[in-house]
Amino acid sequence: MNAESQKLQQLAAQPESRNNTNTVEPILQELDQLESYQVKLNQCQTCLADTKATAELLEFQADKELEQELQTNLAQLNRSLEEYEIEQSLSEPGDKNGAYLIINARTGYMDAHYLAEMLVRMYSIWGISRGYEVADVESSPAPEIGINSTTLEINGRYACGYLKSETGIHRLKRKSPFNITRKRLTTATVEILQMYVQLEIPQPDLELILPNPNLNRNGTKAWAKIVHIPTGISAICDGCRTQMQNKDKALAVLKSKLFAIMQRQEVAEISDIQVDRLQTVLNQPIREYQFASDSANPDTVLDFRTGIQTTAVAEVLDGKIDSCLKAGVLLKN
């Protein structure tokens, strides 16, 4: 591990790495995660030693506090082993990368905007709880409540691998407080893209769109949008401080979008992308969040891919989605 760390430090120190964000960022992320892995390994070794010592003491004398300590240590070791098993199965290129998470309100008007905002909160809490960096790339608020769309950057080792199975349709089922017809079902789409994609796009195929300077004299708007002209795929960023940073981030997201499409369509060149097949992956049902209005039918969350079902809806919406994510990873692998 020390040899790998030294190799990465040498790569990060090279001039071509320091001058290229897409090159140096994954290297620095890998270094940070190696240090984190070493800390976890040391914690496991300490926990294993403590568990062994506690078990030996209990062989000579029964003690409730020691028994509780033993159970706590065993649970911690089981969690660490489970985490290791999951990460060993994340072997696809890009699994170790951070992720761009794109959420779009779909059907249901204000209810869809509410669902999109609910999903943003859920994934943000999940990312922060794992020690990942979570930042807004772009956000489009809805007129009345919630959001139309958001792109989040969730930066950390294996973020893409854990989240990749979340791409598709998420449903909210409840009696709507916003719709006089009391329509119950609304949807939003989630798309997961890997960060740090190395993809060359011919400059003539790109269109840069910036705020109208005549309407932006105070410099309050610094967003940047980049369109890939042949496919119509675009990316926008308004979460950075400067327009240059927003332009670079929008281009990075665009590359991730195009790369994901190329992978799904199994093509080697951007020019081979079939425009009429762009949205098919987003039509897969992923999860349903149901809020019942009577005691006979409890609130539930149902994961369509894995069959996992729980009534702990509040916990799921507070970011406790590891069971679904891990099951999704094992299912794909």
Side-chain angles (χ1 to χ4, degrees), residues 229-295:
I229 299 169
T231 61
I233 300 295
S234 64
I236 186 170
C237 178
D238 60 12
C240 299
R241 292 185 178 182
T242 69
Q243 200 160 70
M244 182 62 71
Q245 290 172 329
N246 282 324
K247 186 189 78 170
D248 291 343
K249 184 71 69 177
L251 181 58
V253 175
L254 179 63
K255 288 181 178 181
S256 293
K257 285 185 176 184
L258 292 171
F259 184 71
I261 293 168
M262 290 167 61
Q263 285 186 309
R264 292 196 292 264
Q265 296 189 2
E266 298 181 342
V267 297
E269 302 292 337
I270 299 177
S271 57
D272 295 329
I273 290 176
Q274 299 178 42
V275 179
D276 58 342
R277 292 176 53 206
L278 293 181
Q279 294 298 318
T280 52
V281 70
L282 296 180
N283 293 328
Q284 178 187 4
I286 300 298
R287 193 175 300 122
E288 182 174 274
Y289 313 82
Q290 177 173 310
F291 294 90
S293 58
D294 56 81
S295 57

Side-chain angles (χ1 to χ4, degrees), residues 10 21-22 28 34 47 53 80 121 126 137 145 159 173 179 183-185 195 215 234 240 242 260 281 287 294 296 325:
Q10 291 172 357
T21 302
N22 278 344
L28 294 176
L34 275 175
C47 185
S80 298
R121 178 180 179 274
W126 173 82
V137 173
I145 188 172
K173 193 174 183 181
N179 193 325
K183 184 178 179 180
R184 294 178 61 99
L185 188 63
M195 294 173 62
L215 303 176
S234 64
C240 299
T242 69
V281 70
R287 193 175 300 122
D294 56 81
L325 296 183

